[in-house]
Amino acid sequence: MEGAPSLLCHNSPSSYSSNPNHSLKSLPSSSPSFLLFPSKHSSIKTHQANSRIFSLNKERSMRRDSNLNLEVSPHRAVAAVRLLRVEQGGAFTDLLIEKGRNSATNEMDYVERTLGFRTRDLDDRDIRLVTDVVGSAIRWKRYLDHLIMSLCNEEKTFRDMEPLLLQILRIGFCEIIKLDMPAYAVVDENVRLAKVALRPGAGNLVNGILRKLVLLKGTNSLPLPKLEGDDRARARALAIIHSHPVWMVRRWIKFLGREEAVRLMNWNNSDPSFSIRVNTWKGYTRDDLVTQLNTLKVPHEISTYNDDFVRIQRGMQIVIQAGLLKEGLCSVQDESAGLVVSVLDPQPGETIIDCCAAPGGKTLFMGSRMRGQGKVLAIDINKGRLRILKETTKLHGLDGVVITCCADLRLFSEKNLIKSDKVLLDAPCSGLGVLSKRADLRWNRKLEDLEQLKLLQDELLDAASRLVKPGGVLVYSTCSIDPEENEERIKSFLLRHPEFVVDPVNGKIPPDFITEKGFYSSNPVKHSIDGSFAARLIRSLHHPVL
């Protein structure tokens, strides 16, 4: 198995990722600092070059300072630009932001290019505010837009509103209604942002609309739709009140019933909690992690589902900035993902293929449970994400266990005769189980996407099945709660592949997660973790392959 990946690592794979991550672009790094401090043996040319570099840096610094606006709220300027980039497809809503010199510089560069000025650098409080405002504004976008349109004198005013002005209003509405910030400060700061970033007339419009909002909130008379009319009308009203796409609301009412659908939307709109998994392979224990969290004064609770996990409601930024992830002490990973690994049940000495591995959380967990014995072949079609996984594998001390290979799984399985003990297909999916963490995902998904995803899931399942040896295990998993992506895909697969049978997951995960058919399923409302699904299948020792 170790030599096999080279057979297809040079494929020209077609993209099938349903959830690409867009990160901030890195700017060219500045000149190395040692050039600015030449030794006594440096040549005259070196001194002259350093003088030019010093002058350029000084000129660049002066230009930045001349463009600095200390009157505009930094977190609101950054939030407005971030929201614009998310809506235009240039960024994604990352609720876990690592504060660093490059990321802070990039953020302010985006502000300067978009708004025409810079603000002071973000401090820790500003970073938390940006995260809260951006996440909340995107989560509640449909609700906020309904209110903004209702408070405009004419609907046309809202429909023709320029994008930046709309983002500023969303920020103001969100801060007043959802984040309960002092109304006078919110109005004043957002009016100032609109005037400086756009023009005085834009500031006047923001002032008038926000003041209307403050009055309506004070009298508890916000203009919300009523739950009346036929099913379609009620679904549209619920979609506004709970800020979700109408198609999702109708689908959940169909599968879950109205009350459970509302509970699910309330969960999606709540502040997300995060879990971290201790890296036991490097010799750490959960007690070590708890000690670190106590030192950092980060509130936490022990997972009742998995011995390697700790749940954090607040303070994730503190954990990141303290360097616990960079040290390899732990990883950010939801407990639902850990339970999928438990369904696979990796054992030392086994050969395992992780078919859609990046970003690699499950890969790392599988590798750590193998105790240095055996191999995990991590296949992914995305070179960039796979490169990050390879670097993280070294950080966690698992580079002797995990092998990476960039390939299209469908081509790989056709051209390689590898047969593994266990195969995990964590398939591209709608992500409907992780909407509390991915605030932007609900607006990026369409009903038509599900049909395309189901076809892709079937193709990938067929491909993954070819890599399982007789008597071996195939696990299919998603981070979706939609039955058509989960149970229905397994039902369809078994009709095509009678050489596989369901292996109930009893004994591998807590009973509360096991369905009647022996599958794993987590419910966000019931279990307070991400929604996910996994089916464990075994390939017959004797059944002929069709």
Side-chain angles (χ1 to χ4, degrees):
M1 177 172 164
E2 292 184 53
S6 62
L7 296 175
L8 255 166
C9 281
H10 300 291
N11 279 343
S12 177
S14 59
S15 175
Y16 54 68
S17 171
S18 66
N19 182 18
N21 283 343
H22 307 279
S23 56
L24 295 177
K25 298 176 183 177
S26 299
L27 297 178
S29 57
S30 58
S31 303
S33 58
F34 67 84
L35 290 178
L36 302 180
F37 303 96
S39 69
K40 60 183 179 181
H41 304 293
S42 298
S43 65
I44 295 176
K45 288 185 178 180
T46 302
H47 282 290
Q48 292 173 337
N50 288 339
S51 296
R52 285 196 298 271
I53 292 170
F54 183 80
S55 298
L56 286 171
N57 287 338
K58 184 177 181 181
E59 181 182 343
R60 190 180 296 121
S61 177
M62 290 174 64
R63 191 163 59 246
R64 283 200 302 264
D65 290 343
S66 66
N67 233 3
L68 186 64
N69 188 310
L70 297 177
E71 296 182 355
V72 172
S73 166
H75 89 259
R76 292 182 176 92
V78 170
V81 173
R82 180 90 63 84
L83 287 169
L84 271 178
R85 294 183 60 227
V86 169
E87 191 148 286
Q88 294 169 358
F92 69 105
T93 311
D94 191 351
L95 299 179
L96 300 178
I97 303 170
E98 184 169 359
K99 183 184 178 184
R101 182 180 61 83
N102 288 338
S103 63
T105 300
N106 287 346
E107 196 83 73
M108 204 51 67
D109 284 339
Y110 280 118
V111 169
E112 185 171 22
R113 288 203 297 269
T114 306
L115 305 184
F117 60 86
R118 304 175 75 87
T119 68
R120 65 170 173 77
D121 291 336
L122 301 176
D123 57 25
D124 289 343
R125 177 178 176 274
D126 291 322
I127 291 174
R128 288 193 296 272
L129 285 171
V130 169
T131 303
D132 289 344
V133 169
V134 170
S136 186
I138 292 177
R139 192 175 289 119
W140 288 102
K141 182 171 74 169
R142 188 180 183 90
Y143 173 82
L144 297 174
D145 285 358
H146 170 82
L147 293 179
I148 293 170
M149 185 167 64
S150 300
L151 270 58
C152 287
N153 291 329
E154 298 179 1
E155 184 175 327
K156 188 177 184 299
T157 304
F158 174 80
R159 298 296 180 195
D160 296 342
M161 194 173 288
E162 54 201 297
L164 177 58
L165 179 56
L166 179 57
Q167 303 305 338
I168 294 172
L169 282 170
R170 285 174 179 165
I171 290 171
F173 273 59
C174 183
E175 289 178 331
I176 290 171
I177 297 174
K178 294 300 177 183
L179 300 179
D180 289 322
M181 294 185 181
Y184 65 89
V186 172
V187 174
D188 184 58
E189 294 285 350
N190 282 288
V191 167
R192 183 178 296 120
L193 174 58
K195 285 184 176 180
V196 175
L198 291 168
R199 57 194 171 279
N204 294 336
L205 179 63
V206 170
N207 183 61
I209 293 176
L210 288 182
R211 287 186 180 280
K212 281 185 189 177
L213 176 69
V214 173
L215 290 173
L216 291 172
K217 185 190 177 189
T219 57
N220 197 27
S221 53
L222 294 175
L224 295 177
K226 295 180 180 179
L227 291 174
E228 57 188 17
D230 60 14
D231 290 344
R232 287 176 179 269
R234 288 175 179 270
R236 284 196 296 270
L238 286 171
I240 291 172
I241 293 169
H242 298 283
S243 196
H244 279 71
V246 176
W247 74 264
M248 282 187 194
V249 177
R250 296 190 67 192
R251 194 170 183 84
W252 290 337
I253 290 175
K254 173 185 173 183
F255 287 125
L256 305 173
R258 178 177 153 182
E259 289 186 8
E260 193 63 24
V262 169
R263 291 192 189 99
L264 176 59
M265 289 188 284
N266 286 335
W267 165 264
N268 293 339
N269 288 331
S270 62
D271 292 333
S273 63
F274 294 93
S275 295
I276 48 179
R277 175 182 59 82
V278 67
N279 184 8
T280 56
W281 173 237
K282 288 193 80 170
Y284 299 114
T285 66
R286 187 161 67 177
D287 288 341
D288 295 328
L289 180 56
V290 168
T291 298
Q292 291 277 1
L293 295 176
N294 287 333
T295 301
L296 295 171
K297 297 181 180 179
V298 173
H300 59 275
E301 58 184 43
I302 302 300
S303 169
T304 57
Y305 305 141
N306 195 305
D307 293 340
D308 296 330
F309 285 74
V310 176
R311 189 180 301 182
I312 294 176
Q313 188 67 45
R314 301 185 313 279
M316 195 64 233
Q317 292 295 143
I318 298 174
V319 173
I320 293 173
Q321 292 170 23
L324 301 191
L325 304 183
K326 285 185 175 179
E327 295 169 10
L329 169 63
C330 58
S331 300
V332 179
Q333 187 170 37
D334 194 78
E335 293 162 86
S336 63
L339 289 169
V340 170
V341 173
S342 296
V343 168
L344 185 76
D345 192 25
Q347 296 295 322
E350 291 180 333
T351 58
I352 298 174
I353 298 180
D354 190 355
C355 293
C356 298
K362 298 181 182 71
T363 312
L364 297 173
F365 193 15
M366 288 188 289
S368 70
R369 287 180 59 160
M370 296 175 74
R371 316 311 303 168
Q373 303 171 47
K375 292 294 178 184
V376 178
L377 174 59
I379 301 173
D380 200 89
I381 202 167
N382 188 307
K383 285 185 180 180
R385 284 154 62 92
L386 202 63
R387 191 182 306 117
I388 295 172
L389 169 56
K390 191 171 185 177
E391 294 171 358
T392 310
T393 297
K394 293 178 182 178
L395 178 68
H396 283 246
L398 293 168
D399 46 323
V401 175
V402 177
I403 306 167
T404 59
C405 177
C406 184
D408 183 324
L409 174 66
R410 294 165 291 190
L411 298 177
F412 183 92
S413 65
E414 287 177 358
K415 298 183 179 181
N416 285 270
L417 300 177
I418 294 175
K419 293 290 184 265
S420 266
D421 296 311
K422 291 173 180 174
V423 173
L424 171 64
L425 172 61
D426 187 36
C429 67
S430 64
L432 295 181
V434 297
L435 296 184
S436 69
K437 290 186 176 71
R438 285 295 309 276
D440 56 328
L441 195 57
R442 71 184 74 176
W443 309 119
N444 296 334
R445 283 284 177 257
K446 298 177 181 178
L447 184 57
E448 309 86 77
D449 296 339
L450 286 182
E451 295 304 317
Q452 296 178 7
L453 283 167
K454 287 189 294 183
L455 292 174
L456 175 60
Q457 289 155 0
D458 286 345
E459 289 180 2
L460 295 177
L461 254 175
D462 291 341
S465 70
R466 292 193 283 266
L467 303 175
V468 183
K469 75 177 187 180
V473 172
L474 169 63
V475 170
Y476 169 80
S477 69
T478 72
C479 57
S480 175
I481 55 174
D482 196 285
E484 290 189 8
E485 293 186 272
N486 297 334
E487 292 88 349
E488 290 298 318
R489 300 283 49 78
I490 297 302
K491 181 180 178 181
S492 177
F493 173 79
L494 293 176
L495 289 175
R496 299 193 305 275
H497 295 272
E499 70 273 21
F500 281 87
V501 294
V502 174
D503 182 29
V505 298
N506 303 69
K508 292 182 169 50
I509 58 175
D512 199 37
F513 293 93
I514 303 174
T515 70
E516 292 181 2
K517 295 184 178 180
F519 303 140
Y520 154 68
S521 179
S522 60
N523 182 310
V525 176
K526 181 180 179 182
H527 302 119
S528 297
I529 61 176
D530 287 346
S532 61
F533 170 87
R536 181 181 167 100
L537 310 171
I538 290 184
R539 184 174 193 165
S540 170
L541 286 167
H542 309 293
H543 199 290
V545 179
L546 300 179

